[in-house]
């Protein structure tokens, strides 16, 4: 199997799951948002503040284009990566897409403590409403992933175990 790419909404656990899963699978890990911030020499909120969302999305698409040349990586993406058709095409070509999902109340609970680092949620008056609105808008894009794993009432370890099982099944199906 080529790259394993984690997609899904903010607060669904992509980075934490990605890090542990990469260790369990002995694959190198790439966090796309970290890569974008490194390239820019600025944090994600700073990029949003100085270049707007459009500037960030351009950087994100560039990072997707670059990362789809990697082989056998575990890649965690930012929550908006699936909104761009070109990104989806590139990611699908480079590996298997696993979408992490969670209930809105869980997402709000998980993201509240790190709100300033999430400009899309922190810029408006009501983060809860924003989460619901964005989840509804994005549902059809997340549905393009190959598999979806609900992380709502599970620890990072439990989610990793479930994905490892799914991977074994895929290998079996391919035989
Ligand atoms: C975004 C999610 C963030 C980050 C940026 C935009 C989004 O990543 O890429 O703030 O559009 O959902 P996380 O999903 O890791 O929070």
């Amino acid at each position: 199997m080529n790259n394993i790419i984690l997609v899904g909404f903010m607060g669904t656990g992509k980075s934490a799951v990605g890090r542990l899963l990469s260790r369990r699978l002995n694959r190198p890990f790439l966090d796309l948002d970290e890569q974008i911030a490194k390239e820019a020499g600025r944090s994600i909120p700073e990029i949003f503040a100085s270049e707007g969302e459009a500037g960030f999305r351009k950087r994100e698409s560039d990072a997707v284009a670059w990362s789809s040349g990697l082989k056998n990586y575990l890649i965690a993406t930012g929550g908006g990566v699936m909104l761009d058709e070109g990104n989806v095409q590139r990611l699908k070509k480079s590996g298997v897409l696993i979408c992490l999902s969670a209930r809105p109340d869980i997402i709000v609970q998980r993201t509240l403590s790190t709100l300033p680092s999430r400009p899309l949620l922190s810029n408006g008056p009501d983060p809860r409403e924003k989460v619901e609105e964005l989840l509804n808008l994005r549902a059809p894009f997340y549905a393009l992933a190959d598999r979806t794993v609900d992380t709502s009432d599970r620890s990072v370890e439990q989610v990793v175990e479930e994905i490892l099982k799914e991977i074994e099944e895929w290998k079996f199906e391919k035989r």
Side-chain angles (χ1 to χ4, degrees):
M1 194 185 294
N2 208 327
N3 294 324
I4 297 176
I5 302 146
L6 299 182
V7 302
F9 202 77
M10 294 168 262
T12 53
K14 301 178 298 284
S15 300
V17 168
R19 237 174 230 111
L20 182 57
L21 189 58
S22 75
R23 270 190 259 132
R24 294 289 303 273
L25 289 169
N26 212 8
R27 282 171 180 249
F29 176 64
L30 175 77
D31 186 304
L32 219 57
D33 275 350
E34 272 177 15
Q35 180 67 27
I36 294 166
K38 199 165 121 191
E39 291 263 317
R42 269 171 298 171
S43 68
I44 305 292
E46 283 167 351
I47 298 172
F48 267 77
S50 57
E51 301 172 20
E53 183 173 351
F56 172 76
R57 296 296 173 207
K58 166 81 178 65
R59 287 182 179 277
E60 187 173 51
S61 292
D62 290 348
V64 167
W66 168 81
S67 70
S68 38
L70 298 170
K71 293 258 177 308
N72 296 319
Y73 263 68
L74 198 305
I75 302 174
T77 61
V81 83
M82 298 291 280
L83 303 176
D84 179 274
E85 206 184 325
N87 289 347
V88 175
Q89 277 175 10
R90 284 204 179 89
L91 291 172
K92 284 206 161 219
K93 258 195 216 154
S94 92
V96 59
L97 264 61
I98 302 177
C99 180
L100 301 188
S101 71
R103 293 195 309 273
D105 58 306
I106 299 277
I107 290 175
V108 171
Q109 195 185 305
R110 287 185 190 156
T111 51
L112 273 182
S113 62
T114 52
L115 219 47
S117 70
R118 293 186 157 106
L120 285 182
L121 300 182
S122 57
N123 284 347
D126 185 354
R128 281 162 209 272
E129 237 173 58
K130 194 69 190 173
V131 166
E132 301 259 4
E133 181 197 318
L134 288 177
L135 274 175
N136 285 333
L137 277 172
R138 292 178 174 188
F141 298 96
Y142 294 140
L144 299 171
D146 299 294
R147 297 280 162 113
T148 298
V149 175
D150 187 354
T151 69
S152 295
D153 300 306
R154 291 167 167 161
S155 66
V156 171
E157 289 76 15
Q158 286 170 322
V159 174
V160 167
E161 287 305 324
E162 172 161 348
I163 298 176
L164 288 171
K165 255 194 246 154
E166 294 260 2
I167 291 172
E168 278 311 306
E169 279 169 26
W170 286 327
K171 281 191 197 153
F172 188 71
E173 280 165 21
K174 279 191 176 171
R175 261 183 230 152

